[in-house]
Amino acid sequence: MSASDKTGHGMSFTRLLVPTYIQMLGRLSAWLEKAQAQRPDDAEALLSARLAPDMFPLATQIRFACRQAQEAVFRLKGEAFPESSNILLEEGRNAGDHPGSIADAQARIAETIDLLNALSATALDIEPETAIAHALPAGITFDLTTEQFARDWALPQFYFHVMTAYAILRAGGTELGKTDYVAHMLPYVRPGTMPGA
């Protein structure tokens, strides 16, 4: 029985998180493709670009977005992080000196999407009040319920890194617009309501 069935209020962390992560990682991949198409000679340089001197570069933002999605999966399944996820985290931390290539970044996105696609329809559905001790490398530990973890950490942290990546690409000259961000919404458009339709 899923958390949705047991609680009676429709909470499914799988249905909330997994499609969100997949569609936004897909967007991130598409933005990188646009950057390469628009700047074939110097797109790789964007991986070292930052919004501010004390912020992580694009290469890190991509890896941290992937790590956030993976983190939610393993936290909610109650599993230890596999070595591949720990390597991803270290790559992100060191990307200022070793940004890698866009192909490397795309591979990390694809690996994360594959992980998400392999989950069952109820893989992350545990009771919303289940306690999670969410420890950070700096020594801080957050005591959260599963619902608080999903709402207050898993989604906001993921979007922070995705949107920072978007902003770095825009600031670096990649032509992106709101449609690039919300392309997953286009199937929901009511016929005849698109401007110019």
Side-chain angles (χ1 to χ4, degrees), residues 16-192:
L16 172 67
L17 296 174
V18 173
T20 301
Y21 291 151
I22 290 172
Q23 70 193 16
M24 293 312 300
L25 288 172
R27 293 290 83 225
L28 181 55
S29 176
W31 305 338
L32 292 175
E33 289 175 2
K34 271 202 164 186
Q36 280 191 300
Q38 294 171 14
R39 301 177 51 167
D41 296 328
D42 64 350
E44 301 283 335
L46 289 170
L47 292 168
S48 296
R50 306 167 187 257
L51 287 182
D54 62 345
M55 291 183 74
F56 284 117
L58 176 61
T60 298
Q61 303 300 337
I62 294 164
R63 284 162 177 80
F64 281 4
C66 292
R67 168 68 180 201
Q68 289 296 329
Q70 293 186 23
E71 177 183 82
V73 168
F74 297 116
R75 285 270 191 247
L76 293 178
K77 290 178 73 177
E79 297 177 358
F81 293 112
E83 186 58 23
S84 59
S85 189
N86 293 326
I87 290 170
L88 178 64
L89 180 61
E90 285 307 306
E91 279 186 6
R93 290 173 176 161
N94 297 318
D97 295 322
H98 305 286
S101 66
I102 289 181
D104 295 332
Q106 290 281 31
R108 297 296 176 258
I109 294 170
E111 290 162 4
T112 304
I113 291 174
D114 286 346
L115 170 72
L116 294 164
N117 277 325
L119 295 171
S120 74
T122 58
L124 310 183
D125 291 351
I126 61 177
E127 288 288 350
E129 296 304 315
T130 301
I132 288 183
H134 183 56
L136 301 183
I140 299 170
T141 298
F142 295 109
D143 289 315
L144 306 164
T145 65
T146 303
E147 185 171 359
Q148 290 166 339
F149 172 78
R151 182 192 66 216
D152 300 335
W153 179 267
L155 284 175
Q157 290 294 318
F158 172 75
Y159 272 109
F160 174 85
H161 295 296
V162 170
M163 287 313 303
T164 302
Y166 178 94
I168 290 171
L169 288 165
R170 279 292 309 270
T174 306
E175 295 178 11
L176 296 172
K178 193 62 174 284
T179 304
D180 294 291
Y181 178 62
V182 296
H184 58 276
M185 293 297 296
L186 297 180
Y188 306 129
V189 173
R190 182 179 296 175

